[in-house]
Each structure stands twice: as C-alpha cells, then as structure tokens.
C-alpha cells in the first residue's frame, strides 16, 4: 500500500471539518454550480451536485452551462417516518425539487433536481421535520438499514432501536452542518478537534451497516461493510452475528476491484453491538487504504490482511474476542407484499413502488394517493431496502379507510397479476446520475414487460425471479445479487450476470458482456423454458442455473470479470 494520501484525503484534512468554501459557493449566484472540491465535501452533508444529462448536448449547443442541480439524500435509520413527516417531505418535493420522492435501495429518500438557490431552504425544511441528511453520503458511516417489519415481535423493535443507536454513535459531529444549513454561529477554532471518533480525515471511503432479522434478508445484509444478523432465541434478541467486508462497487477493466459478500466472523451480545460497530469502523479508519480510492473500501482491508488479522484487531479495539457465530437461516431477500396482521391486531400494507419513484403518472396517481393516506394515517410509514413502502401500524378500525384509498388510487396495481416485477429493482441512472453508462430506472419496466412475455410463454407466469439492473458497475441496485443481473456498459448495452440465489447469500456470475436487449432476451428465453420444464419443486431460477451447470457457483472475485459465454 502506497503511503501517499490521495487528493480526497488531503481535501478532508484541509476542509476545516467539512466546511470548505461550501457556504461561499452557495452564495455565488453567477453559476448554478459549486466548486469541485466543495462538491466532494457536500457529500458528507448528504448532497451531490449533478446535471441533467438529457439536456447536456442541447445546453452545450446553446453555449449555456450544464443544467446543474443537486440530489439530496436523507439519513433515516431503519427507514421509519411519521405521516406528518411524509406530508412534509411531499411538500418539499414541490417547493424545492422535481415533484418526486425517490425511495432508495438503502431505505431512505432522495430529492432530485434541486437548484442551488433551493438547497438551503430544503435542508431547513427537512431539519424542521426532525429529520436530517448528515452522513447520507461521504466517507462516513451511511444510513443504517434493517428489516422492515418491526411489528413482527418485540425483538424486531429492539433491532430497530439498535439501528438508530449505531447510526447516532457513528454520525459525524462537526459544527459545519448546523452552520452552513441552519444558520448557527461558527464554532471552528484552529487546533480544536470537532470529531472525537472520525478525526480530521473521517473514513477512507463510504462505510455501510445493515441488520437482517432471519429468515428475512430484505436488506441484503451481506452486501455491507458490516452485516449484522440478529440472533433471536425464544422470541428474545440475544445479539448479532457479525459479517465483515461486503461491498459491491467495481470498475470495468480494473481486476483489482470486485463485488464481495461479507464473511461471518463471530457473534456479539446485543448490549455491546454499538461498541462492536464502532470498534470495526475504527479498524477501517486506522487501516483502510488512504492512497487509492479504488482500493479503500473495508472489503479490501479484510482481503489484504485476512480474517485472522481482523479478529485480532477486533479483540484489541473492542477489548474482548468475537464469540463463535450462531446458526441462522436466511430464506429470501425480497419484500412481502399485501396486508399482514400482527399480534396486537394492527395491520401493515406493503406496496410495490415502481422504481422507488413516488410520482403521479397519468396511469397511476401514486403520489396523490399516498398523500391522502398520510393525511389520515395514524401509524407510520416504513421504507424497504427494495425501494418499496409499508403503510405500517394501521388499526383495524382504520383499515377499511386506508384500503378504500388504496383502491381509489390503484396503489396496489403493481402487485396484481404481475409477480415478476415485484422482485425487480433498478438504480436511478439517467438523467441525474453522473456515472450512468446505460438506462436503469427508466428502462426497467419495458424490460420486465418483455421478460413477462417469456415467463408467460413458458407457462410459469407466477414465478418470482430476482432481477436487478444498474446503469453502471457500481452496484447501487445490488445487481450482483440478481438471479438475473444487468449492469450498464453503454447506452442500450449491458453485462448479463446470472445465478445468484434467492436469499442474498450467493453472488451471480458474469455470463455475457456488452450485449443488447435482443441478445439478452434470446439468451434468457431457452433458459426460462428449460427452467419451466425441469425445475424441482420450489426451486428458484438462480439455483436451477447452478444445479444444471449453466452457471458455475464457485468463483473467486477475479473470475467476476471473465464472461462464461462470449
Ligand atoms: Fe450508490 C454512487 C445512487 C445504493 C454503490 N450512488 C452513487 C451516486 C451518488 C453517483 C455518484 O457518485 O455520482 C448515485 C446517485 C444517483 C442519483 O442520481 O440519485 C447513487 N446508490 C444510489 C441509490 C440512490 C440507488 C437507488 O436507485 O436507490 C442508492 C442510495 C442508497 C442510500 O440511500 O444510501 C445507492 N450504492 C448503493 C448500493 C446498495 C447498497 O448500499 O445496499 C451500492 C453497493 C453497495 C456498496 O456500497 O458497495 C452503491 N454508489 C455505489 C458506488 C460504488 C462504491 C464502491 O465501493 O466502489 C458509487 C460510486 C462511488 O462511491 O465512487 C455510488
Ligand atoms: Fe449511478 Fe451506477 Fe449507481 Fe446506477 S449503479 S445510480 S448508474 S452510480
């Protein structure tokens, strides 16, 4: 490992605890943008500068600067909010953003197309709702995600509590946030530390924590730097198995980068789980690669040093060794749709949100419908890691009212008669994501419709298949856990990955590289037919492909780059 600090590290060091010149850049009305350095610092505050890629060429021809805007992401541990907060966010989407709310793959909201002038008002309105955006992006611990069904038991509630505590413990502390966005006085003093845990350099790279409650793995727990698997015995939360070193980002043509599932390293009792997460984040803080950002995620620290090294480090940072991991079973990583009743008699409705985008379309007034529900709902809203939504804690008395609104606005249309799309997920990609090489969110519905044709022809229209699509290899829609995974290569071209399991515990394999829709569908058609004819009872598509030897399950990270078919 090279000792020279990367530019990003030097920027953090000189930023005066994430202040940089963000405030001055916001005040400059000559441009819709802020400087490149401030854009990097802005991420820690939960925002990214972007530009509308649909309009880039046109603006260039008109000799205008790109149509700059900002994406803002909320920190929302466990994905829970009140109806009043929903209504507030819905209003902000109109006041300051593009009239949509985007539910993300990490259980929170994004606003898109926020102009520079609207950034501060938006931040203030979000904070007035007792929500914030701190650490939603940047080289710190990100939104802590967990299973979406806390109503299932007291143990589930305890896990949600743990998600909050971990998020709060690992949140950054500097006064920069309240000064820049909330107008508080500057507390910066040269030489005085404002970050007891992170210090001036924060983490080498983003850091993610998820908690799964077996048998559900709707958060894809093993895709995280720290994956916690709740161990519940006789209805009581005992503690957590800790898995380390998950992460999906990779770059084409860079064999040293690869997706990796976290490795289960041991068990920690519930009372000390927050300390354990802090200890692990500190191991990465002190040992992660700060010279090369492509090699800076925790997964590389683990692979470079080995699991034994990690366990020794853990003992020294935490003050006790990891205990032996306990047995667990994960069965599915999708959401359970429709109404469910809990032990207390409350009801919970999981709704499919196409592409995670809460917007009114001519065919379905989704946003209006949810707004009307929020206006009368007395429970909570809960976001899932599959970009869907739970209307949670509906009383038996209120259920008919909510159900009538669902019917009126056709909010469960997506769940009727079209099971294939329920387990499909796409990242944002065009037009806002600066890294997109191909479409994802906007193209997924069309692709799924064609795939629906294939499963119908094969006589298995009710089959659930996990489909994940992203506009580039970064993995925001967790494509490497798709039974069918597509990652964008160029406009209209994707790499096709096949053979993940249905529970988020086996990565898929690259099958075809840089192919168009026709080739993808021609490839999948005979596989789906063979699956329909030869599958075993309850067998999933990815498992079938592996059992039949169509895709090899065993692979080293480097093999990820070698297509099985040319
Ligand atoms: Fe992501 C960067 C969107 C979940 C791995 N991700 C981005 C950016 C900010 C693009 C950029 O850097 O300019 C995207 C903004 C698009 C836009 O216009 O809104 C973006 N990521 C998303 C979201 C919104 C996708 C979605 O459709 O829901 C998800 C927001 C999650 C959240 O609420 O915090 C999102 N990103 C993920 C996940 C999935 C997860 O965490 O479960 C991953 C893979 C897991 C992982 O981190 O390894 C992921 N995003 C990345 C990476 C690759 C990181 C790496 O290790 O190389 C980047 C690029 C980077 O960091 O350099 C990235
Ligand atoms: Fe953008 Fe790539 Fe993430 Fe999709 S996977 S949102 S294209 S960075």
């Amino acid at each position: 490992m090279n000792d020279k600090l990367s530019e990003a590290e030097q920027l953090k060091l000189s930023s005066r605890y994430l202040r940089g010149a963000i405030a001055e850049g916001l005040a400059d009305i000559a441009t819709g943008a802020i400087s490149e350095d401030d854009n990097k610092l802005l991420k820690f505050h939960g925002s990214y500068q972007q530009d509308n890629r649909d309009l880039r060429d046109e603006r260039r021809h008109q000799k205008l600067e790109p149509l700059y805007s900002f994406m803002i992401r909320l920190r929302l541990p466990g994905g829970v909010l009140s109806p009043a907060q929903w209504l507030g966010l819905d209003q902000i989407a109109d006041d300051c953003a593009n009239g949509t709310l985007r539910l993300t793959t990490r259980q929170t909201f994004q606003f898109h197309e926020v102009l520079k002038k609207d950034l501060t008002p938006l931040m203030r309105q979000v904070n007035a709702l007792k929500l914030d955006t701190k650490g939603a992006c940047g080289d710190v611990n990100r939104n802590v995600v967990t299973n979406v069904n806390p109503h299932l038991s007291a143990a589930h509630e305890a896990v949600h509590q743990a998600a909050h505590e971990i998020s709060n413990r690992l949140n950054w502390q500097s006064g920069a946030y309240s000064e820049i966005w909330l107008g508080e006085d500057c507390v910066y003093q040269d030489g005085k530390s404002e970050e007891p845990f992170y210090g001036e350099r924060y983490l080498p790279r983003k850091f993610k924590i998820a908690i799964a409650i077996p048998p559900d793995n709707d958060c894809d727990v093993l895709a995280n730097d720290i994956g916690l698997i709740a161990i519940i015995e006789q209805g009581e939360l005992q503690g957590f198995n800790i898995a380390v070193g998950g992460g999906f980002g990779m770059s084409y043509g860079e064999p040293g980068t690869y997706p990796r599932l976290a490795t289960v390293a041991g068990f920690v009792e519930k009372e000390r789980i927050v300390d354990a997460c802090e200890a692990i984040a500190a191991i990465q803080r002190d040992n992660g690669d700060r010279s090369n950002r492509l090699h800076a995620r925790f997964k590389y620290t683990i692979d470079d040093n080995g699991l034994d090294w990690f366990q020794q480090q853990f003992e020294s940072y935490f003050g006790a060794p990891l205990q032996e991991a306990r047995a667990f079973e994960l069965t599915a990583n999708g959401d359970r749709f429709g109404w469910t009743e809990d032990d207390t008699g409350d009801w919970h409705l999981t709704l499919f949100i196409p592409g995670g985008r809460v917007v009114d379309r001519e065919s379905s007034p989704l946003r209006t419908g949810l707004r009307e529900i929020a206006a009368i709902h007395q429970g909570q809203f809960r976001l899932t890691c599959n970009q869907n939504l739970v209307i949670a804690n509906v009383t038996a008395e209120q259920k008919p009212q909510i159900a009538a609104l669902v019917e009126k606005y056709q909010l469960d249309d997506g769940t009727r008669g079209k099971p294939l799309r329920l387990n499909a997920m796409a990242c944002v990609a065009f037009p806002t994501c600066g890294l997109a090489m191909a479409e994802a969110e906007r193209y997924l519905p069309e692709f799924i419709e064609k795939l629906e044709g294939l499963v119908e022809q094969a006589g298995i229209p009710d089959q659930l298949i996990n489909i994940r699509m992203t506009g580039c290899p970064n993995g925001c829609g967790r494509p490497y856990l798709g039974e069918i995974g597509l990652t964008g290569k160029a406009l209209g071209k994707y790499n096709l990955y096949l053979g993940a399991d249905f529970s988020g515990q086996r990565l898929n394999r690259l099958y075809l590289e840089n192919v168009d829709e026709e080739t993808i569908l021609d490839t999948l058609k005979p596989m789906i037919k063979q699956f329909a004819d030869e599958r075993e009872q309850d067998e999933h598509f990815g498992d079938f492909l592996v059992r039949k030897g169509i895709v090899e399950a065993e692979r080293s990270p480097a093999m990820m780059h070698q297509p099985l078919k040319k």
Side-chain angles (χ1 to χ4, degrees), residues 50 53 73 102 110 206 426-430 432-441 469-480 486-488:
Q50 303 181 318
R53 297 184 62 185
R73 188 182 290 164
R102 178 56 155 72
Q110 280 188 184
K206 58 177 73 168
C427 72
V428 179
F430 282 93
T432 51
C433 179
L435 305 178
M437 302 175 184
E439 295 280 357
E441 182 188 325
M469 177 186 286
T470 57
C472 85
N474 275 321
C476 301
R478 298 188 289 273
Y480 310 113
L486 295 169
T487 63

Side-chain angles (χ1 to χ4, degrees), residues 43 48-50 71 73-74 102-110 112 136-137 142-143 205-206 208 219-220 223-225 246-250 297 299 355 387 426-429 432-435 441 474-478:
K43 296 177 187 180
Y48 271 68
Q49 179 176 298
Q50 303 181 318
M71 174 274 272
R73 188 182 290 164
L74 268 59
R102 178 56 155 72
L103 315 189
T104 75
T105 54
R106 290 193 74 79
Q107 229 172 14
T108 187
F109 291 90
Q110 280 188 184
H112 283 111
C137 316
R142 302 292 190 87
N143 200 37
R205 201 69 165 86
K206 58 177 73 168
K208 297 182 173 178
C219 60
D220 280 331
N224 289 265
D225 297 85
F248 277 7
M250 71 166 204
R297 288 293 293 269
K299 60 185 172 184
Q387 303 167 330
C427 72
V428 179
T432 51
C433 179
L435 305 178
E441 182 188 325
N474 275 321
C476 301
R478 298 188 289 273

